[in-house]
Structure formats: structure tokens, C-alpha cells
Amino acid sequence: MKKLMLLFAVVIGSLVTVSCEGPRGPQGAPGPEGPEGVVLGKVYEYHLNFNQNLNANIAGQVVKHPIKVYFGDTVMIYVLDGTDKDKNPIWSPLPMRYFVQDNATQKDEELEYIYNFGLQDFEIVARATAPLGLFNGTPGSDKDPGYVTNMIFRVVYIAGKDPIQMKANAVGGEDKKLSYEELLLKYNLTKAPVQKMY
């Protein structure tokens, strides 16, 4: 009987000890960086020129990442595409197309900006159906600045859910259709400072 009482006391003591822990508190807001300095999101701005050879139909700019990029991370790039009636910038996601009429042929020609990225850098490419000089605008003109000189891009870095896994990207296919403002809102980057790289 004493052994039974001793066993009963041990079981009751174990239950009391386990149940001493209180309820878990609410999770805090995410900070700008995750564990071990993993960046959750950053925004950088670049001024880039694609006018090195205006007789060519294609030009590219390769830029080294200013932060560490992992397999699961995503890079989204937007181009400044003018301003609205309140002088707020309009950011359009790449790929982006511009059309200019060639006065010699009376034909609309197309310039498209695309991009790609890897772990070390990203590349923005301007490719056109005519020489890039057609898209250069009028030098020194504010009304006709063109589409290959002094282009302004915003590059948004979004950390993957699991930076080691290539299939764990934070950004899905539907996110690539989001406007710049929608993307910042979705990934809690509205207060992230824009670091100007020029």
C-alpha cells in the first residue's frame, strides 16, 4: 500500500510541476532583421544609363547586390514611370515596355526592360526592336527625356521563408503583378528606408 501511495504522490507531483507554466504572451512585431542578421526586406534606388552604344538594340547593367542574398530570397525591380497629378512617383514593375514612333518608317518601335538575378548580382536589360538611339529622347529636354538615359529603378529584396530552400520563395507568381505600394504593404516594408545608391 505504501508503494501505491508513493507512486500516486510522484504522479500528482509531476502534474503539478508541469502545470506551473503560465500562458504564452503575444508575439512581438517583426524587427528589420531576423535571426543571425538575416535581412527580411530592403529597398534600394539606382540611377542607371543604357546609352553606352545607341546604335545597338540591347544594353545591360549588372549591379552587385548590396546585401547577402540566399536561394529562397526574391528580388523585385520597379522603374520610375513618371508622376501622378499630385507629383507622387509612379513605379512600374519590370518587365516594362515603351513605344516610340520611328519618324523615318512611321512604325512604332518597342523598348522593353527586363531583369534577372542570382546570388551575387542582378542585371537589368534594355532590349529594343530598333537602335536604342531612337529611345534616347531629346538630350537636355525635360519634356522628352527618353527611356535609356538616367533611368531610376527601385530594387526590393524580400527574404524567403526558408533562405536555404530554393522553393521557399516569399514572393509568389501573383505577387509579381502587385504595384510597388501593394508589395511594400504586403511585406511590411512601408517604413523601410529607401537607400539611394548614387
Side-chain angles (χ1 to χ4, degrees):
M1 181 72 159
K2 287 183 181 180
K3 288 183 183 178
L4 184 61
M5 291 298 282
L6 181 62
L7 179 62
F8 183 75
V10 169
V11 169
I12 294 294
S14 298
L15 289 173
V16 170
T17 305
V18 170
S19 64
C20 288
E21 188 176 322
R24 190 174 210 172
Q27 184 173 350
E33 294 193 350
E36 299 178 20
V38 176
V39 177
L40 298 177
K42 296 280 186 182
V43 182
Y44 294 87
E45 186 174 294
Y46 294 86
H47 279 209
L48 299 176
N49 294 304
F50 298 83
N51 59 1
Q52 292 81 5
N53 181 358
L54 293 174
N55 293 319
N57 288 45
I58 191 167
Q61 290 283 346
V62 176
V63 179
K64 186 172 173 33
H65 293 306
I67 60 174
K68 175 74 175 167
V69 173
Y70 297 92
F71 282 118
D73 296 347
T74 299
V75 178
M76 301 285 287
I77 301 183
Y78 294 79
V79 62
L80 181 62
D81 195 28
T83 56
D84 64 17
K85 60 180 179 157
D86 297 323
K87 304 291 183 190
N88 296 314
I90 298 170
W91 297 99
S92 296
L94 298 190
M96 180 65 185
R97 292 186 177 126
Y98 298 99
F99 295 91
V100 171
Q101 186 178 52
D102 185 343
N103 292 332
T105 63
Q106 297 299 307
K107 179 181 172 189
D108 282 341
E109 299 291 352
E110 177 184 331
L111 169 69
E112 180 181 39
Y113 278 102
I114 59 172
Y115 76 99
N116 58 71
F117 69 93
L119 295 180
Q120 304 302 319
D121 52 39
F122 66 87
E123 180 182 27
I124 299 176
V125 177
R127 59 184 182 187
T129 57
L132 294 174
L134 179 66
F135 304 91
N136 199 30
T138 305
S141 170
D142 289 336
K143 292 185 178 184
D144 185 22
Y147 303 109
V148 294
T149 302
N150 200 28
M151 298 296 290
I152 303 174
F153 297 91
R154 287 259 172 108
V155 180
V156 182
Y157 291 89
I158 300 171
K161 294 173 186 169
D162 178 352
I164 304 304
Q165 301 297 321
M166 295 179 91
K167 295 181 181 176
N169 284 1
V171 174
E174 68 282 353
D175 291 336
K176 295 185 188 245
K177 298 174 184 172
L178 295 177
S179 72
Y180 175 73
E181 292 77 15
E182 290 168 335
L183 186 80
L184 295 186
L185 190 61
K186 180 171 181 178
Y187 291 100
N188 197 23
L189 296 172
T190 54
K191 294 183 181 177
V194 177
Q195 299 184 45
K196 298 192 175 182
M197 306 299 283
Y198 51 90

